[in-house]
Amino acid sequence: MSAQVIDGRACARALTQSLEADVDRLRQEGPGIGLATVVVGDEYSSGAYERRLRRLAGRLGVPYTPQTLPGDTDQDTVLARIAELNADPSVSGVLVLRPLPRHIDEAAVFQAIDPMKDIEAVHPENAGLLALGVPRFVPSTAASCFHLLDTWLDSVGEDRAEFYHRANIVVVGRSNNVGKPAISLGYERQATVQSVDEWADRTTGIGRYTRWADVLIVAAGKAGLIRAEHVGENAVVIDVGINAATGPDGSVHMVGDVDHDSVAPRVRALTPVPGGVGPVTDVWLLRNTVTAARLLAGQPIDRARPSLPTPARVLLEAS
Ligand code: NAD
């Protein structure tokens, strides 16, 4: 039997509908909303992501300011550009796309973003709030992983709390923007969470951890990293990876970190690439941009987080 495919595009469509209403309400109430992205260089995955965000912002009628800088731009110029966006009242959310070129200090760039406009929660203040379980913004990729999981659990009639409390969630990859936030969201659901990184792969191999996963979240950026021998039979696999693959005719297409052909016959459910984590990530980022616009306008944010197993609600106020 082949795995159920968790349809990210369908989830994204449903989320977009509620977001359209939020954006309309913002327009009527007055606070400006605007998304700005900063891309340095021409890396495949960030280019693909930027184009998707541009399209979605256009569809929602959210003003969009792309800042595309050449790969050899020096750090001071990048920081100056971020300072301009921080000061620009028409911009409510700022996203710096990764990876940045090696000569740029990523931590310095993230610290330069106004925490109230930091829609990906990479500033230490927002990363800290997330780690403490009281996020101002839930980083979009990790949010997407758990939104897809929650939606799938609902669709198969499983109780979320019961599932997560028993679940062993294994997260492959430990980046500050994807792996670590996913770990935090797993903790938030009171699951058992394991984090596996490159060193496990180089030493003992990752299979000894990943095979025991009830939920396997893979965010390593390595095409074909997860194959049939790495997964257990009841696993739900969330493939975050975006990699460029060249076909026999020389054309470039997108693949994830999971070898879908070998894994699909073994597991319970998995997300496709493309059409899985990516579309929901995009909508979540715009959703965070709405949150930022409200916070900047001094509006209290009563953000229900329906995807939590317990009916947790977070009341955030503009600081
Ligand atoms: P990153 O390069 O910052 O981090 C990758 C992590 O994986 C690191 O912790 C690294 O040590 C680990 N890793 C590398 N090789 C490994 C291996 N062989 N075994 C175990 N761990 C290994 O990348 P990132 O920003 O976290 O993104 C990861 C992937 O997800 C990339 O392909 C990226 O393009 C993609 N991505 C997708 C979305 C989306 O919405 N679908 C969003 C963000 C990132």
Side-chain angles (χ1 to χ4, degrees), residues 11-35:
C11 278
R13 274 196 295 277
L15 272 179
T16 306
Q17 276 176 5
S18 65
L19 195 60
E20 277 166 355
D22 286 344
V23 172
D24 279 350
R25 207 170 313 126
L26 264 184
R27 267 200 218 98
Q28 284 160 22
E29 289 168 2
I33 176 169
L35 169 65

Side-chain angles (χ1 to χ4, degrees), residues 43-46 49 52 98-99 106 120 140-142 144 171-180 196-202 206 218-223 225-226 239-243 254-257 273 276-282:
E43 210 268 336
Y44 173 82
S45 61
S46 48
Y49 188 27
R52 294 198 322 252
R98 297 176 71 248
E106 186 177 282
E120 215 20 8
S140 55
T141 310
S144 168
V171 181
V172 180
R174 201 179 291 151
S175 68
N176 288 334
N177 65 317
V178 183
K180 285 181 190 164
V196 182
D197 205 41
E198 197 168 356
W199 283 103
D201 191 29
R202 288 199 208 174
I206 55 175
V218 192
K222 295 273 176 312
L225 176 68
I226 300 297
D239 187 357
V240 180
I242 298 176
N243 307 288
M254 188 190 289
V255 296
D257 288 352
V273 176
V277 174
V280 177
T281 301
D282 302 349

